[in-house]
Every structure is written in C-alpha cells, then in structure tokens.
Amino acid sequence: MVRSLLIIPLLAAAGGGVWLARGALLRWRDLRAAETYELAGEQRPMLLRAAGAMVCGVCVTVLTLLTALGTFGALSGGGADASIGSAGSLPDGFDDRFGDRFDDRFDDGQAGAGGGRQAAPPVDPAAAPAAGAAPAAVPAVPTPSPVPVVSRFDSVGHPGGGELLQSAVPGPDGHPRNVRVWLPAQYAKDPNARFPVVVMQAATPRKTADAEVPDVFEGLASAVQSAKGKPFILVAPEAPNGTAHPCELVAAAPMAVADDAALRTTIAATFRTLPPGPAGWGTLGVEDGAPCAAAAGLARPDLYGAAAAVSGRYDAAALARTGAEAPATGTPRLLLAAGKADTAGLDAARKLQAALRGGTGAAARAEVRISDNATDYSAERIRLRLVRQAAQFLGEALGKAS
C-alpha cells in the first residue's frame, strides 16, 4: 500500500521536472541567440525554471529511494508476515463477540474444543529421568481430533425475557443449516454459571422449531418464573430437507436423526453449557416434532438424558425397534404429554408406552411418563401448559446450572 502511494508523487515530480528543465533549456537557447545579435535578454525566467527542475530532481531521487526501500522490506519480511496473518487471523467480529466467552472458559480450565490453548500436563517428579540417565522412549502422540469451527451467533430478538440468537452450523450431511439458540434470562444474570441444554426438534423442512411453536419461549420462561422448572438453553436446529415430514425418517434411520455431533460440539464451544451427555443434555418436540424427540431419547440415551414429546402421534412399532437397537448404556427417560381433551394424542402415547414395555433392550428399560391433565379454554393455552410441563420434566431430569 505504501509503495503504491509513493508512485503517484514520484511520477508527478518526474513530469514536472522534465517540463521545467525543457523550459529552462529553451529559454537558455533564446538568450544565446539574443547575445549573438547583441540584444539584452532577461535571465530570471530561465533561472527560475532551472531551480524548479533541480527541486523536482531532488524529489524524484528521494521518492525513488523510499520506493526501493519499501520493495526491499516486502521481499525480506512480507512473506513471513503474510503467512502468519493468514494462518492466525480470525473472522471479522470474532474477538468482539466471543473473546469474553473464551476467556471465561480458559479461566475455568474447561476450554471447549474451539477454545484457547490447552494447559500443559503436570510433570511427575518420580517419572522424570535421573541426571545422566538415558532419555526414556517418547510415547506415540495420538492424532488430535478435528477442532470444530465456532460459528458466530447474532442476536435476533428477546422473547420470553431471554435472548434469541441465530447462526449457520454444519449439519450431519456437512451442509450449513440455520440454528437458533435461546438463552434464558438467568444466562446474562450469572456470567459464571453453566446451563443444561435442550435440543428442540423441528418437523418442517428448512425451518426451526420456534417457527412452528412461536410461544415456546414464553412457556419455558413461565415455568422458571413459577419455580416449577430450572433454566436451560434451548437449541433449535433447522429440519433437514428431502421429505415433507422429516420426523418420518426416524423409522428408517433413527440414529442419523438423533446424533448430531457437529451441533453438540459447536454449542458446547460457543456457550456456557454443561458438558454434552445425559447429565446435561435433553431433547424436546411439540406436535409434529414430538416423534423426533421420542426417537432421539430412545435411540441415544447415552447422549440425551431425557426427552419430552408434546401432543404427538407416534409409530409405536418403529419407536420400539429404535429403543431395542439403542446402546446398552443409559436408561431412556421419556415424557409423553397431551391435553386432557386430546383423545387421539393420549391414545398414541399409551400405545407407545405399551410397545416399549413389551420391547427389548433399552426399550424395555425406558422410563415413560404420561401427562394427561392439561386443560384450558383455548388450544394455544393448552399448548402453553404442556410446554411448561415439559420444561419442568426436563429440568428435573437434567443437571441444574452450575
């Protein structure tokens, strides 16, 4: 950049010097001709042009030296600086948004997969070689796992007294998809606390669950305000495309729907969460998203400690097979909630409960609770009550904020 700026005055000085020198030469020739015919001529214009040409020459010399020095500096040190800049630079706004969060994780000694440097392990004096002894064989260093890319989450609103953020996170297929994260009001009030996480399943392609159930945040916040629920972070990933009803995929490939490693690592590295696992992570589905939540809780009890399915319709046989094929570790904990007047929803919940009891493996071990007492004067109010019940169930099943 500096070299480019110096070229402009260099060219201007060179052009002006040539013009003045040419004028001085022509004026000198005129004076010589006047002397031949014994005529008096004025020398001042020639001297002024000559002096101007000399000043321009000095400027050209100085600017040429400065340009040469800038080029030499770029050749000697620019390559190393450029490589360092490209390898160590961060996206615009990264430090502004996540610097404090990474400092908190580093100070706690629990930096996430995308956090700061890992502390060096302590040296055991007993294991250190004695003076003069031959050095011990160096053990093979395992190849580190890929570090997840920490996405930038931008604030898009403040529903339910909390903060709603959105970003693009790679999905299980590697393609980016929108993910919304709702932080409860307690998240900002206690900057040192870590919160459990609930993943809310969506049922409409290319939409997040909060677009289908916009009052879910009010339900979660009211459960906490009434002291019947514990605060947690709600994560709403965009449903995959390829079918009009994504939750129907659970019968064919439940493991693919339940396990989303990129989402877990990104959320854990970006926000103050409890570690991913059954002690601090659960899942929620409302209406058409309920089968996805039930499948996630049954298929991976080692990842989700509890699942709440609200007002859903279920393929009992398919979900029983999903539970039977689940990992041997962990006991699925499942809430099936429906309004008191929703006879079809309650019938589907009871059939799923019976199918799981008659199944094998983790399905037979599943702890299934049915809620059938929610009633109110409108469908929206009933759904709000059911979301409160789901928040209370998930808060009881998962670890509290620490």
Side-chain angles (χ1 to χ4, degrees):
M1 176 62 73
V2 175
R3 184 176 54 186
S4 301
L5 294 177
L6 290 176
I7 290 176
I8 297 175
L10 173 62
L11 294 177
V18 171
W19 180 76
L20 291 172
R22 182 172 179 273
L25 179 62
L26 293 176
R27 192 66 181 175
W28 179 75
R29 288 177 179 176
D30 292 339
L31 291 175
R32 294 291 301 274
E35 291 176 358
T36 302
Y37 295 97
E38 298 182 356
L39 298 175
E42 186 176 1
Q43 297 182 357
R44 183 176 181 181
M46 180 197 70
L47 296 176
L48 290 177
R49 287 181 173 83
M54 293 178 63
V55 172
C56 290
V58 173
C59 294
V60 169
T61 302
V62 173
L63 292 173
T64 302
L65 291 175
L66 293 176
T67 304
L69 291 175
T71 303
F72 178 77
L75 292 175
S76 61
D81 294 340
S83 63
I84 293 175
S86 61
S89 60
L90 295 174
D92 293 339
F94 186 95
D95 291 337
D96 297 339
R97 188 131 188 113
F98 296 109
D100 294 338
R101 291 174 181 167
F102 278 176
D103 290 341
D104 291 341
R105 298 182 72 87
F106 185 82
D107 293 340
D108 293 341
Q110 298 176 351
R117 299 182 179 89
Q118 295 290 336
V123 177
D124 185 2
V138 179
V141 178
T143 302
S145 58
V147 178
V149 177
V150 180
S151 300
R152 170 172 177 164
F153 284 81
D154 297 316
S155 180
V156 295
H158 295 81
E163 184 179 11
L164 184 63
L165 303 102
Q166 179 174 310
S167 181
V169 178
D173 57 356
H175 294 89
R177 42 75 189 274
N178 288 329
V179 173
R180 288 194 164 191
V181 176
W182 181 75
L183 305 176
Q186 292 76 11
Y187 189 90
K189 294 178 181 178
D190 191 351
N192 296 320
R194 300 185 181 276
F195 293 80
V197 177
V198 172
V199 179
M200 188 173 181
Q201 308 290 338
T204 304
R206 297 300 181 188
K207 284 190 177 182
T208 55
D210 63 293
E212 304 167 335
V213 191
D215 54 354
V216 64
F217 307 118
E218 283 70 18
L220 299 178
S222 63
V224 176
Q225 293 171 0
S226 63
K228 292 184 178 180
K230 300 173 184 177
F232 53 75
I233 297 173
L234 185 74
V235 178
E238 186 180 84
N241 202 0
T243 177
H245 304 285
C247 285
E248 291 180 354
L249 296 175
V250 299
M255 299 294 284
V257 176
D259 188 10
D260 196 339
L263 179 68
R264 291 196 307 277
T265 54
T266 299
I267 297 301
T270 307
F271 301 97
R272 301 193 312 272
T273 71
L274 295 179
W281 285 54
T283 184
L284 168 67
V286 178
E287 296 176 351
D288 291 342
C292 278
L298 291 170
R300 298 304 299 268
D302 58 326
L303 299 178
Y304 300 103
V310 175
S311 301
R313 306 294 187 267
Y314 314 102
D315 185 341
L319 290 174
R321 290 193 300 271
T322 297
E325 298 171 359
T329 58
T331 298
R333 287 182 287 181
L334 182 62
L335 171 69
L336 304 176
K340 190 173 183 179
D342 186 5
T343 56
L346 291 174
D347 182 62
R350 294 188 179 101
K351 287 182 177 178
L352 176 56
Q353 184 183 46
L356 293 174
R357 287 177 177 173
T360 59
R365 302 193 310 269
E367 299 175 0
V368 182
R369 184 188 304 180
I370 295 180
S371 174
D372 58 358
N373 59 0
T375 181
D376 215 310
Y377 60 85
S378 67
E380 290 74 15
R381 294 287 302 176
I382 294 175
R383 184 171 62 185
L384 186 64
R385 289 182 177 273
L386 291 172
V387 170
R388 289 177 186 169
Q389 293 180 359
Q392 182 180 359
F393 169 79
L394 292 168
E396 294 173 353
L398 302 177
K400 64 179 181 179
S402 61

